[in-house]
Amino acid sequence: MRTLGRASDFVFEFPFVGDCSADLIVGDKALGIICVVEFEDGRGESIFNKPQIRSTKEWCRRFEHGFSQIVDWFCMLDDAKKSERFKKDFGPGHVRFSGLLIIGRDAGLTEYERFRLRWRTEKVGVDNHSVECITFDVLHRHMDQHLQLNTSI
């Protein structure tokens, strides 16, 4: 899991335009590094489902829904980047955005499905923005490791 460094700014339910809002935005406004986060459900079958006629599982609707929301946010941010509201919300100058989709659980995922999830994170971006796709279990392990490292100092 990539790291942004120390986050100095965060907003829950950040409104974009109309009825779109990010579950969480976290980053450092002064450095121009922002991550938009979408939380989907934590069920085991939220990432892949088995179609009736193929052996390879397909991406679930919940996964595609969450990923598509991030695509829409980046579209809106790109459209708004010269506006005064954008400067107010994210600061002047260039802002480096990334996306994070947190969905599903590790249980039940095969090694091949974990590979596909990692591959999508490494290879599929949106308008030159990275979008990391992880499970709640990966998030938990990352936070547990981070908290242990910080408490042992």
Side-chain angles (χ1 to χ4, degrees):
M1 197 167 137
R2 296 181 192 111
T3 60
L4 295 171
R6 173 164 261 146
S8 58
D9 304 288
F10 65 94
V11 178
F12 291 98
E13 294 299 324
F14 178 84
F16 286 108
V17 178
D19 58 354
C20 291
S21 63
D23 291 333
L24 174 65
I25 289 186
V26 62
D28 189 327
K29 187 174 171 178
L31 293 176
I33 301 170
I34 306 291
C35 180
V36 295
V37 181
E38 171 64 12
F39 293 99
E40 286 294 332
D41 60 55
R43 293 180 302 193
E45 63 279 350
S46 299
I47 302 170
F48 295 105
N49 64 2
K50 186 162 175 25
Q52 292 180 353
I53 57 173
R54 292 180 29 193
S55 62
T56 302
K57 291 184 178 178
E58 296 176 339
W59 297 98
C60 282
R61 286 176 40 158
R62 292 302 308 169
F63 185 93
E64 294 294 2
H65 170 78
F67 197 89
S68 292
Q69 282 189 281
I70 294 171
V71 170
D72 287 342
W73 299 341
F74 285 148
C75 175
M76 290 176 203
L77 288 168
D78 186 58
D79 187 49
K81 65 183 164 188
K82 295 197 184 314
S83 72
E84 290 303 313
R85 169 151 183 220
F86 185 92
K87 292 176 194 169
K88 176 185 149 296
D89 290 342
F90 303 108
H94 178 72
V95 179
R96 184 172 42 134
F97 286 98
S98 62
L100 177 60
L101 173 59
I102 303 169
I103 185 169
R105 303 293 305 268
D106 286 351
L109 290 179
T110 66
E111 282 304 312
Y112 181 63
E113 291 160 354
R114 288 185 176 120
F115 163 78
R116 289 173 65 196
L117 192 60
R118 283 191 311 271
W119 187 93
R120 189 161 179 164
T121 288
E122 293 172 8
K123 304 289 186 179
V124 179
V126 178
D127 191 31
N128 292 322
H129 305 296
S130 65
V131 179
E132 191 151 354
C133 306
I134 63 169
T135 65
F136 281 93
D137 297 306
V138 169
L139 176 64
H140 179 267
R141 286 191 299 273
H142 179 79
M143 290 176 67
D144 187 50
Q145 180 184 24
H146 178 73
L147 292 173
Q148 287 178 8
L149 290 173
N150 281 341
T151 59
S152 65
I153 294 178

